Amino acid sequence: MPRHSPSYVCQTCAAQSRQFFGRCPGCGGWNTLIEQAAPAADGRRRRQGPPTGEAIGEAIGEAIGRGKPRRSQPIHAVGERPLQRLASGFAELDRVLGGGLVPGSLVLVGGDPGIGKSTLLLQSAQVMAQSCSVLYVSAEESAQQVKLRWRRLGSLDPSPAPALTAEEAGGGEPINLQLLAETDLELVLQELEALRPAVAIIDSIQALHDAELSSAPGSVAQVRDCAAALQRLAKRQDTALLLVGHVTKEGMLAGPKVLEHLVDAVLTFEGDRFASHRLLRAVKNRFGATAELGVFEMRDRGLAEVSNPSELFLGSDGPAAGTATIVACEGTRPLLVELQSLVSSTSYASPRRTATGIGINRLHQILAVLEKHLGLPLSRFDCYLAVAGGLDVEEPAADLGVAAAVVTSFRDLTLPAGTVLVGELGLGGQLRPVGQLELRLQEAARLGFRRAVVPRGSGLGGSAAELGLELLEAGTVAEALVAALGVDPAADPATQSAAD
Ligand code: TYD
Ligand code: MG
């Protein structure tokens, strides 16, 4: 039961109403009214209670900027505080955060239900609790459930030995991990204020509930209100907040989409339900690069870091017709990835094309380029393409690899072992340069690849030789495939064998 009648505010024109309307009476916009907690009679939020002398002093202090004059100052004169980051316990998580968790920052971790968000944060909390105080607020699971999970994760590598409380361990190192199973925002705020932890984890923001609002937990109004209240408190007491947010069926961060501007960093945890690896990416990060990628593997005792992810996305069977290896780059992280293709004559009026892990439009475009510039009659063939390991490769640098996989399947050829292909295809059949080529070549060399087909003009001949890589430069897709395969795939094998 709400403690007072709700009020609704239009998000477009700020018109207020006591009643909910699907269409704003002010501006006529649809679904723009959102419930808001009305201020109490004294103008402050109820949860803050009647204003005490101290509270009034604080409010005045805030209003006048705590005695400091609110004036501009030369940028070089602005005092700097060294950014001391907290190690999260996972090097992969630290990398995505930009080098660790920044005290007082607000981080949203989004992902599908069941992907492993709670597991990741509980494991991380466990490690962080050895160097600072951590509060884990479980709004979805009971304290018993969290404890069971904690036990299950206890002896996981690479975290240190099972962390038990002092009594349980019989006098070992106590850990500073507090658990609160609570959905009421008010109580969570009280606990945060009482404990003043260095890190607090809220699992999940959609399950928290502000009793001052009549809308259901998880609604936009609730999520925004809860996050804003937590943020105010966390910034004031320098608590780093990790908020868990669920992704809806439509793939949106439900509610949390409205939080994206409020938080300092948005991380998404994704992965294939049927594969064990999980990818953590930063979508927004005020304290680091956004393109970073962290790779984990879900095991029966929790998440383990994968520090050598290329091995995950490489086929183990060696080269075969229809496979090609590319070096994709996620942020500053090169990944060797195997592409697989199957081209077979179609029995449909229009051939079937499916792509897993690569945009279908990109595949259509590459097939059209191959048809036009190599003269391959691909429009009479079905074409299936997949990225091994369930990774999504969005980069155009994968184009040449896609072309090679399709052509080798079509002609039943095999690329020589140890060959990688990198390059973007232009519509005219030309190969265009890609970024971070040197980094990609280093990773390929590290994993034992010996030949790299790259766009012309890379200027990396010297460093490739140092890496022990044979560098094959090409100006067009046709040249690149001839260089990679040693035969001309554009030539019809029937006429070729007749000529032999
Ligand atoms: P969970 O962290 O509860 O997901 P989320 O919080 O994102 O909803 O992870 C749940 C899944 O992970 C569940 O399907 C079981 C699996 N799991 C493991 O495979 N190993 C483990 O050690 C744990 C704790 C969970
Ligand atoms: Mg969970």
Side-chain angles (χ1 to χ4, degrees), residues 92 295 305-313 333 335 443 446-447:
E92 296 286 303
V295 186
E305 297 179 89
V306 178
S307 39
N308 215 347
S310 287
E311 286 164 10
L312 213 65
F313 304 114
R333 185 158 214 191
L335 283 175
E443 177 74 357
R446 197 177 67 76
L447 284 161

Short mmCIF file of all heavy atoms in Angstrom, two decimals, residues 92 295 305-313 333 335 443 446-447:
data_model
loop_
_atom_site.label_atom_id
_atom_site.label_comp_id
_atom_site.label_asym_id
_atom_site.label_seq_id
_atom_site.Cartn_x
_atom_site.Cartn_y
_atom_site.Cartn_z
N GLU A 92 39.93 -9.95 -15.60
CA GLU A 92 39.08 -9.68 -16.77
C GLU A 92 38.05 -8.59 -16.45
O GLU A 92 37.76 -7.74 -17.29
CB GLU A 92 38.34 -10.95 -17.18
CG GLU A 92 39.25 -12.06 -17.64
CD GLU A 92 39.84 -11.83 -19.02
OE1 GLU A 92 39.06 -11.64 -19.96
OE2 GLU A 92 41.07 -11.81 -19.15
N VAL A 295 36.60 -12.15 -20.86
CA VAL A 295 36.06 -13.47 -21.21
C VAL A 295 36.11 -14.38 -19.98
O VAL A 295 37.12 -14.46 -19.29
CB VAL A 295 36.86 -14.09 -22.37
CG1 VAL A 295 36.22 -15.39 -22.81
CG2 VAL A 295 36.96 -13.14 -23.53
N GLU A 305 38.23 -17.15 -15.15
CA GLU A 305 38.67 -16.26 -16.21
C GLU A 305 39.28 -17.06 -17.35
O GLU A 305 39.91 -18.08 -17.12
CB GLU A 305 39.74 -15.32 -15.67
CG GLU A 305 39.23 -14.43 -14.59
CD GLU A 305 40.31 -13.54 -14.06
OE1 GLU A 305 40.48 -12.46 -14.62
OE2 GLU A 305 40.98 -13.95 -13.12
N VAL A 306 39.11 -16.55 -18.55
CA VAL A 306 39.77 -17.16 -19.70
C VAL A 306 40.79 -16.14 -20.16
O VAL A 306 40.44 -15.12 -20.74
CB VAL A 306 38.77 -17.44 -20.83
CG1 VAL A 306 39.46 -18.04 -22.03
CG2 VAL A 306 37.68 -18.38 -20.33
N SER A 307 42.07 -16.37 -19.84
CA SER A 307 43.03 -15.34 -20.20
C SER A 307 43.53 -15.54 -21.62
O SER A 307 44.17 -14.67 -22.18
CB SER A 307 44.18 -15.32 -19.20
OG SER A 307 44.51 -16.62 -18.85
N ASN A 308 43.21 -16.67 -22.23
CA ASN A 308 43.66 -16.94 -23.59
C ASN A 308 42.48 -17.26 -24.48
O ASN A 308 42.32 -18.37 -24.95
CB ASN A 308 44.61 -18.14 -23.54
CG ASN A 308 45.70 -17.99 -24.55
OD1 ASN A 308 45.59 -17.12 -25.43
ND2 ASN A 308 46.70 -18.81 -24.46
N PRO A 309 41.59 -16.27 -24.71
CA PRO A 309 40.30 -16.59 -25.33
C PRO A 309 40.39 -17.07 -26.77
O PRO A 309 39.48 -17.73 -27.24
CB PRO A 309 39.52 -15.28 -25.24
CG PRO A 309 40.52 -14.23 -25.04
CD PRO A 309 41.71 -14.85 -24.40
N SER A 310 41.50 -16.74 -27.47
CA SER A 310 41.57 -17.17 -28.86
C SER A 310 41.39 -18.68 -28.97
O SER A 310 40.79 -19.18 -29.92
CB SER A 310 42.91 -16.78 -29.47
OG SER A 310 42.94 -15.40 -29.68
N GLU A 311 41.91 -19.40 -27.97
CA GLU A 311 41.83 -20.85 -28.04
C GLU A 311 40.38 -21.34 -28.00
O GLU A 311 40.05 -22.40 -28.50
CB GLU A 311 42.62 -21.46 -26.89
CG GLU A 311 44.11 -21.34 -27.16
CD GLU A 311 44.98 -21.55 -25.94
OE1 GLU A 311 44.44 -21.99 -24.91
OE2 GLU A 311 46.19 -21.26 -26.04
N LEU A 312 39.52 -20.48 -27.42
CA LEU A 312 38.11 -20.85 -27.29
C LEU A 312 37.40 -20.81 -28.64
O LEU A 312 36.46 -21.55 -28.89
CB LEU A 312 37.47 -19.83 -26.36
CG LEU A 312 36.35 -20.24 -25.46
CD1 LEU A 312 36.83 -21.23 -24.45
CD2 LEU A 312 35.81 -19.01 -24.76
N PHE A 313 37.85 -19.88 -29.49
CA PHE A 313 37.12 -19.65 -30.73
C PHE A 313 37.82 -20.26 -31.94
O PHE A 313 37.48 -19.98 -33.07
CB PHE A 313 36.92 -18.14 -30.95
CG PHE A 313 36.23 -17.50 -29.79
CD1 PHE A 313 36.87 -16.58 -28.98
CD2 PHE A 313 34.92 -17.84 -29.49
CE1 PHE A 313 36.24 -16.01 -27.90
CE2 PHE A 313 34.28 -17.28 -28.41
CZ PHE A 313 34.93 -16.36 -27.61
N ARG A 333 41.85 -5.97 -27.73
CA ARG A 333 42.09 -7.39 -27.54
C ARG A 333 41.91 -8.17 -28.83
O ARG A 333 40.80 -8.30 -29.33
CB ARG A 333 41.09 -7.88 -26.53
CG ARG A 333 41.30 -9.28 -26.17
CD ARG A 333 40.67 -9.52 -24.85
NE ARG A 333 41.44 -10.48 -24.13
CZ ARG A 333 41.03 -11.04 -23.02
NH1 ARG A 333 39.90 -10.68 -22.49
NH2 ARG A 333 41.76 -11.92 -22.43
N LEU A 335 41.47 -11.40 -31.13
CA LEU A 335 40.91 -12.74 -30.92
C LEU A 335 40.99 -13.52 -32.21
O LEU A 335 40.50 -13.05 -33.24
CB LEU A 335 39.44 -12.64 -30.55
CG LEU A 335 39.02 -12.23 -29.17
CD1 LEU A 335 37.52 -12.10 -29.11
CD2 LEU A 335 39.48 -13.27 -28.18
N GLU A 443 49.17 -11.50 -32.24
CA GLU A 443 48.36 -12.57 -31.63
C GLU A 443 48.39 -13.82 -32.50
O GLU A 443 48.49 -14.94 -31.99
CB GLU A 443 46.91 -12.07 -31.44
CG GLU A 443 45.94 -13.09 -30.89
CD GLU A 443 46.10 -13.39 -29.41
OE1 GLU A 443 47.04 -12.83 -28.80
OE2 GLU A 443 45.32 -14.21 -28.89
N ARG A 446 51.63 -15.50 -32.03
CA ARG A 446 51.71 -16.11 -30.70
C ARG A 446 51.03 -17.46 -30.67
O ARG A 446 51.42 -18.37 -29.96
CB ARG A 446 51.04 -15.17 -29.69
CG ARG A 446 51.38 -15.44 -28.25
CD ARG A 446 50.73 -14.41 -27.35
NE ARG A 446 49.29 -14.50 -27.32
CZ ARG A 446 48.60 -15.43 -26.68
NH1 ARG A 446 49.23 -16.37 -26.01
NH2 ARG A 446 47.30 -15.45 -26.71
N LEU A 447 49.96 -17.59 -31.47
CA LEU A 447 49.22 -18.85 -31.46
C LEU A 447 49.71 -19.82 -32.53
O LEU A 447 49.03 -20.78 -32.87
CB LEU A 447 47.73 -18.58 -31.59
CG LEU A 447 47.14 -18.06 -30.29
CD1 LEU A 447 45.84 -17.37 -30.51
CD2 LEU A 447 46.97 -19.20 -29.29
#
